[in-house]
């Protein structure tokens, strides 16, 4: 006799985060492309446009990353922001309060993206395992 079993009722694991070097490669390439695009379209020396765009990139990269990748992602985005958006281009500088604030913004964006991803994955896993989640047709 054939016994029918419904497919997809087993618990699915929470997706694993992407490896940290891949996230950092994405931060390097993404920041490079975004800064070059902003310098071409908007013009150089416009950090008020570049910081939100790089923060969004950091948050998006945080969605698929581990928490341990956040500091490196923030630093890579800050390097492109400081090196190619602030005059003179190609020279890294440190302006105490400004750069500390920028690093904090980028790190916060990355951590928020990672925390949101973990929260959504955990919530989805809980809903799959909660009683009453299997609805019989």
């Amino acid at each position: 006799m054939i016994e029918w079993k419904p497919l997809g009722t087993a618990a699915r694991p929470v997706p694993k985060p992407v490896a940290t070097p891949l996230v950092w490669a994405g931060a390097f390439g993404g920041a490079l492309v975004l800064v070059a695009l902003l310098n071409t379209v908007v013009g150089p020396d416009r950090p008020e446009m570049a910081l939100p765009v790089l923060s969004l990139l950091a948050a998006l990269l945080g969605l698929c990353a581990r928490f341990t990748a956040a500091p490196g992602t923030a630093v890579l985005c800050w390097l492109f922001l400081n090196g190619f958006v602030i005059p003179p281009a190609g020279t890294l500088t440190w302006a105490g309060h400004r750069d500390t604030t920028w690093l904090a913004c980028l790190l916060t964006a990355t951590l928020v993206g990672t925390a949101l991803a973990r929260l959504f994955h955990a919530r989805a896993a809980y809903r799959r395992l909660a009683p009453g989640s299997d609805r019989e047709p």
Side-chain angles (χ1 to χ4, degrees):
M1 174 179 254
I2 297 175
E3 182 178 338
W4 293 96
K5 292 189 177 186
L7 298 175
T9 59
R12 291 181 287 166
V14 175
K16 293 188 182 204
V18 176
T20 300
L22 288 176
V23 174
W24 289 347
F28 183 85
L32 175 68
V33 168
L34 287 175
V35 166
L37 185 67
L38 281 172
N39 282 343
T40 303
V41 173
V42 178
D45 309 335
R46 300 285 304 267
E48 64 274 359
M49 294 289 292
L51 181 61
V53 170
L54 288 174
S55 294
L56 182 63
L57 171 69
L60 290 175
L61 288 169
L63 290 175
C64 61
R66 292 180 166 87
F67 280 108
T68 56
T73 304
V75 167
L76 282 169
C77 289
W78 173 81
L79 286 173
F80 280 97
L81 177 64
N82 193 345
F84 298 107
V85 176
I86 302 300
T91 304
L92 289 177
T93 59
W94 182 263
H97 180 64
R98 178 195 73 193
D99 288 320
T100 304
T101 303
W102 288 353
L103 272 171
C105 287
L106 292 166
L107 182 62
T108 301
T110 308
L111 290 174
V112 165
T114 305
L116 284 176
R118 297 298 157 260
L119 182 67
F120 290 144
H121 290 306
R123 187 172 180 200
Y126 175 76
R127 286 185 179 203
R128 286 191 299 263
L129 295 176
S133 62
D134 291 337
R135 295 190 178 108
E136 299 278 333

